[in-house]
Amino acid sequence: MTTSTEQLSTTTLLRFATAGSVDDGKSTLVGRLLHDSKSVLTDQLEAVEHASRNRGQEAPDLALLTDGLRAEREQGITIDVAYRYFATPRRRFILADTPGHVQYTRNMVTGASTAELAVVLVDARNGVVEQTRRHAAVAALLRVPHVVLAVNKMDLVDYAEPVFAAIAEEFTAYAASLGVPEITAIPISALAGDNVVEPSAHMDWYGGPTVLEHLETVPVSHDLTACHARFPVQYVIRPQTAEHPDYRGYAGQIAAGAFRVGEAVTVLPSGRTSTIAGIDALGESVDIAWAPQSVTIRLVDDIDVSRGDLIAPADDAPAVTQDVEATVCHVADQPLAVGQRVLLKHTTRTVKAIVKDIPSRLTLDDLSQHPAPGQLVANDIGRVVVRTADPLALDAYADSRRTGSFLLIDPADGTTLAAGMAGQSFAAATTGEGAAADDAEWDF
């Protein structure tokens, strides 16, 4: 299938992630999507066929199209997040094939953090398992707006409708309790190609879309201009040349919303106000700029603005705080403990912080809150209270995925410890008795 540049210019982009338990067939599904949509280059297909023959397989193992690491090919599992790009005449796609093993659940956080849709695979023989619930919880926490339940390996259960219906009902009830806004269940066989790109001849009882048809038609909203306008300052430009002796601009990427020349703005966390004197984009002055454009904003007043500051409309600025309450997905091998010193990175700003409390850890079996766990270990999801050394201008994650998210980082070696979502939770956390940190240098 060939897609012209003219066609691509008029199609939308969908970012989606695949997730599921071990051996549910995620990589095979992605390979089938690429193969059947004719998005695989000839040399890639030949390499897969050659590798499959060397492994004693008669048919090409389409999972090899995404399992790119040598360790993945040798072990037959997915370890890292594999990103692939493909396109049809109706839409362009960036997909993230994420691992299924429990110890790699944190990789799904990376893959799904920018996704507008998540495909959660379930083996029809096993139904909904703990890892399925974990992936649904991560998708809900990250506020992925669309979730597809792909009940795979229907060929191994004789394409039985009751099996599919029972799994779909259980998963839909669970995901709905998490707050997932839209769930679409599709019975498939990734290995045989049933309902992936082409409709299945074995499941005439199913009248819904194939996976690709749903991906091509699901509503996608990229209208960041409708969000609260936010501009994290990345760099201060002061050329101080004879041609521009007084030029002072603040460069960065607009995270959300739109900014206009003449608009009153507030610089956070200082709270100083000014007016936009000019906006430069691609070397030219413009009257308006919007997300996700990279621009330089010039202000009327010569006020103190530096990297990490946030420019927002004067009448729509976020609250500034040093006490951050959030839900985090812990992604590091070392635990996150009460009293631990960390760095908190929010947009372009990084500040020192202390973990003051870990009120609860989420139990995925029944979505209950385990109170006062004391620490979070790899792949845990829990509530934290963090005290920062300097004020931060955070939005609620429910309002903005860009400016409501942050990272907790180990100050000793730069390791990412947790991905956080300000204010985000399933329900009110059960308060635990967490010990406060007591350190003169870090006691804020």
Side-chain angles (χ1 to χ4, degrees), residues 68 90 111 163 167 185 189 272 301 312 327 353 442-443:
R90 304 180 70 177
V163 174
I167 295 173
S189 170
R272 296 184 178 92
D301 304 290
T327 293
W442 291 69
D443 190 6

Side-chain angles (χ1 to χ4, degrees), residues 59-370:
D61 184 356
L62 298 179
L64 296 178
L65 288 170
T66 55
D67 288 340
L69 300 179
R70 176 178 297 178
E72 294 177 328
R73 295 193 297 269
E74 290 176 348
Q75 298 178 55
I77 65 173
T78 302
I79 297 174
D80 201 5
V81 180
Y83 291 94
R84 292 294 182 269
Y85 168 88
F86 70 103
T88 69
R90 304 180 70 177
R91 181 167 278 177
R92 294 172 293 144
F93 303 94
I94 297 177
L95 64 89
D97 182 32
T98 65
H101 282 67
V102 173
Q103 64 266 37
Y104 301 128
T105 302
R106 53 197 172 186
N107 294 43
M108 185 197 171
V109 177
T110 301
S113 61
T114 58
E116 289 111 3
L117 182 146
V119 179
V120 179
L121 272 78
V122 171
D123 188 324
R125 300 168 300 175
N126 302 327
V128 175
V129 297
E130 180 182 355
Q131 192 68 342
T132 309
R133 292 189 289 269
R134 187 182 298 271
H135 286 143
V138 171
L141 276 174
L142 293 174
R143 298 189 70 83
V144 180
H146 307 281
V147 171
V148 172
L149 171 67
V151 182
N152 193 23
K153 304 187 181 181
M154 288 296 296
D155 53 314
L156 300 182
V157 293
D158 298 324
Y159 299 101
E161 180 180 8
V163 174
F164 167 74
I167 295 173
E169 181 179 2
E170 179 182 356
F171 179 86
T172 299
Y174 181 82
S177 69
L178 296 174
V180 176
E182 180 183 289
I183 306 154
T184 302
I186 305 175
I188 69 169
S189 170
L191 186 64
D194 292 290
N195 284 338
V196 178
V197 172
E198 300 295 335
S200 172
H202 302 97
M203 290 180 278
D204 54 4
W205 44 265
Y206 173 73
T210 65
V211 173
L212 182 61
E213 183 181 354
H214 183 71
L215 294 177
E216 287 182 323
T217 57
V218 66
V220 177
S221 174
H222 295 289
D223 188 14
L224 293 175
T225 61
C227 304
H228 303 286
R230 302 289 185 259
F231 181 75
V233 176
Q234 183 174 354
Y235 187 71
V236 178
I237 299 177
R238 294 193 65 190
Q240 296 180 312
T241 61
E243 184 179 359
H244 303 286
D246 301 319
Y247 187 95
R248 184 183 180 93
Y250 310 105
Q253 184 184 49
I254 300 176
F259 289 88
R260 296 170 176 81
V261 173
E263 181 178 9
V265 295
T266 298
V267 178
L268 299 170
S270 69
R272 296 184 178 92
T273 59
S274 185
T275 303
I276 297 179
I279 301 174
D280 300 324
L282 299 176
E284 297 182 357
S285 295
V286 296
D287 293 329
I288 183 172
W290 53 85
Q293 287 181 305
S294 294
V295 300
T296 300
I297 291 180
R298 292 177 280 116
L299 301 180
V300 171
D301 304 290
D302 187 12
I303 60 179
D304 184 15
V305 182
S306 58
R307 174 182 170 86
D309 286 348
L310 185 76
I311 297 176
D315 59 354
D316 186 29
V320 174
T321 183
Q322 288 182 258
D323 296 298
V324 180
E325 297 185 21
T327 293
V328 301
C329 296
H330 191 64
V331 299
D333 290 328
Q334 64 265 41
L336 180 72
V338 172
Q340 187 169 341
R341 313 172 186 183
V342 296
L343 296 176
L344 189 152
K345 186 180 188 306
H346 173 249
T347 63
T348 57
R349 187 176 185 84
T350 302
V351 298
K352 291 181 178 180
I354 290 177
V355 179
K356 301 293 284 188
D357 192 13
I358 302 179
S360 61
R361 183 183 68 242
L362 182 69
T363 303
L364 290 169
D365 288 336
D366 56 5
L367 298 183
S368 64
Q369 299 284 350
H370 176 74

Side-chain angles (χ1 to χ4, degrees), residues 357-395:
D357 192 13
I358 302 179
S360 61
R361 183 183 68 242
L362 182 69
T363 303
L364 290 169
D365 288 336
D366 56 5
L367 298 183
S368 64
Q369 299 284 350
H370 176 74
Q375 67 177 17
L376 299 176
V377 298
N379 301 308
D380 275 351
I381 297 172
R383 296 287 294 173
V384 300
V385 178
V386 178
R387 174 75 173 177
T388 62
D390 301 303
L392 292 176
L394 282 88
D395 286 294

